[in-house]
Amino acid sequence: MNFSFTDEHRLLLGVVREFVHKELGPVAARLDKEARFPEEQIRKASEMGLMGIMIPVQYGGSGMDTISYVLAMEELSRACASTAIIISVNNSLVCEPIFRFGSEEQKHRFLIPLARGEKLGCFALTEPQAGSDAAGLKTTAVKKIGRYVLNGTKLFITNGAHADVAIVFAVTDVTKGAHGISAFMVEKGTPGFSVGKVEEKMGLRASDLVELNFQDCTIPEENLLGKEGDGFGIAMITLDGGRIGVATQSVGIARACLEEALRYSKERFQFGQPISGFQAIRFMLADMSMEIEAARLLTFRAAYLKDRGLPYTKEASQAKLFASEMANRVAFKALQIFGGYGYTTDFPVEKWYRDARVTTLYEGTSEIQRLVIARELLRT
Ligand code: CAA
């Protein structure tokens, strides 16, 4: 077992930390307050090669491994979880499936600009009546000569308002259940494709979450990703990777909470001493640090397996489940340590508390992760 990082990992960490320290951290609170998409920061992240971290250089990416992705995402999330999820979706939910299932022509047309960050992508699976039950999609794609016609509504789509390309899952054969779903790449500006309601959210307020509408939206048949009927499998395999992203995002948010709680506990005096002197506070800090380390190790393990081409569905769900619930516990404790001040917007903990909340919901709820883990356990 080897717990050390490579020189490439350390170099990446240094570069991302500098970006976070100088450019992302200082604006995170304002972006959240104004619910403003971080255009400038995403442009910088693109220049740094962070939009396609795991994609080979020949397809516009940085050619790094999943451990690198995890390291970068933790740092970004520690500073601004909104910016982190925008980048995470583009990397793991958009670039990855196109790299894995796309044809050479599709990789040149779609993947290269997405991995370079010249374009932004979104992943359109969820629908008003199909959240956890992802196979229950109602959006249809009807094949005509040389094209598909899409009709339906997608909901809670991260990056949807800013995306140039959407990976859209739709039913092509209603008689085949999960095996009748196909994946398509739909470009912004295609007639019949529009952005609907923009959600007002509790956390991650600088990233957008929208409804997407497809009304007789006609796309060329070349935009089919993989084969007809492969869509559900593509979505599930893609989400396995995406869940590593949410796990490391959760670790980043929790780390922000711990670091700030440590600092504050040494500065805040009550009963004539810093509150860090009290056992009640020390126990909370100790538990927070232990849980963060445990979540980080689960996340690295899933990433390690993925990098070696080994099965990692169970491990990704375990990492996502534990890390997301851990981030909520840690944010709760950090706010407790800050007391009344933590409840105000003068301190960043209330933002992290809000940002942490969605991690047990998106890319599969905690309940779905438990189902996936149990299914994998029982398979053997
Ligand atoms: N890898 C490969 N194949 C998989 C798979 C995986 N991880 N999981 C399932 N499959 C395959 C199965 O093997 C099966 O194929 P066969 O019939 O050939 O055996 C097929 O897919 C159907 O699988 P299930 O019978 O298990 O399907 P199900 O309908 O019972 O659903 C589920 C399983 C795990 C509950 C799934 O619906 C699920 O993951 N739901 C949660 C959806 C989700 O995570 N949504 C998040 C939306 S995206 C988002 O949040 C992004 C954002 O904007 C940030």
Side-chain angles (χ1 to χ4, degrees), residues 25-47:
V27 297
R30 205 171 69 236
L31 291 170
D32 172 76
K33 196 166 183 152
E34 296 169 6
R36 184 154 52 84
F37 190 85
E39 306 259 6
E40 181 59 23
Q41 292 70 27
I42 294 296
R43 194 188 52 73
K44 191 73 207 285
S46 305
E47 286 168 13

Side-chain angles (χ1 to χ4, degrees), residues 44-101:
K44 191 73 207 285
S46 305
E47 286 168 13
M48 292 167 63
L50 298 179
M51 300 309 277
I53 295 173
M54 299 167 286
I55 301 301
V57 176
Q58 78 206 81
Y59 295 118
S62 295
M64 289 189 259
D65 60 7
T66 314
I67 298 284
S68 305
Y69 171 63
V70 165
L71 290 172
M73 284 300 302
E74 182 184 320
E75 295 305 314
L76 294 167
S77 307
R78 192 240 167 276
C80 177
S82 294
T83 302
I85 195 61
I86 296 165
I87 295 174
S88 173
V89 165
N90 197 73
N91 272 276
S92 57
L93 298 188
V94 181
C95 288
E96 283 268 296
I98 304 178
F99 173 62
R100 184 145 180 198
F101 302 102

Side-chain angles (χ1 to χ4, degrees), residues 41 70 79 84 88 91 117 184 208 212 249 257 272 290 328 332 335-336 342 370:
Q41 292 70 27
V70 165
S88 173
N91 272 276
F184 301 91
D208 64 278
L212 297 180
Q249 181 194 35
C257 290
M290 173 188 67
N328 279 276
F332 182 94
L335 210 149
Q336 199 67 19
R370 289 187 167 90

Side-chain angles (χ1 to χ4, degrees), residues 85 89 93 123 125-126 131-135 156-158 178-179 209 232-233 236-237 239-240 243 313 361-365 368-369 371-372 375-376 379:
I85 195 61
V89 165
L93 298 188
F123 180 82
L125 176 68
T126 302
S132 289
D133 181 10
F156 301 150
I157 308 304
T158 299
H179 294 281
L209 189 74
F232 191 75
M236 292 299 108
I237 291 166
L239 282 166
D240 286 345
R243 287 165 186 163
T313 299
L361 304 173
Y362 62 17
E363 302 201 30
T365 60
I368 290 298
Q369 307 312 323
L371 286 182
V372 171
R375 188 189 64 194
E376 294 299 314
R379 198 192 289 284

Side-chain angles (χ1 to χ4, degrees), residues 94-157:
V94 181
C95 288
E96 283 268 296
I98 304 178
F99 173 62
R100 184 145 180 198
F101 302 102
S103 65
E104 203 53 34
E105 190 270 332
Q106 288 173 334
K107 284 180 191 153
H108 278 91
R109 199 165 135 223
F110 294 103
L111 181 57
I112 292 178
L114 283 163
R116 283 185 183 151
E118 293 161 2
K119 290 194 171 171
L120 186 70
C122 68
F123 180 82
L125 176 68
T126 302
E127 297 184 359
Q129 306 303 327
S132 289
D133 181 10
L137 302 183
K138 296 280 178 282
T139 296
T140 54
V142 176
K143 187 155 190 192
K144 310 267 170 157
I145 300 163
R147 62 207 156 97
Y148 285 92
V149 181
L150 273 62
N151 277 287
T153 299
K154 296 288 174 181
L155 197 66
F156 301 150
I157 308 304

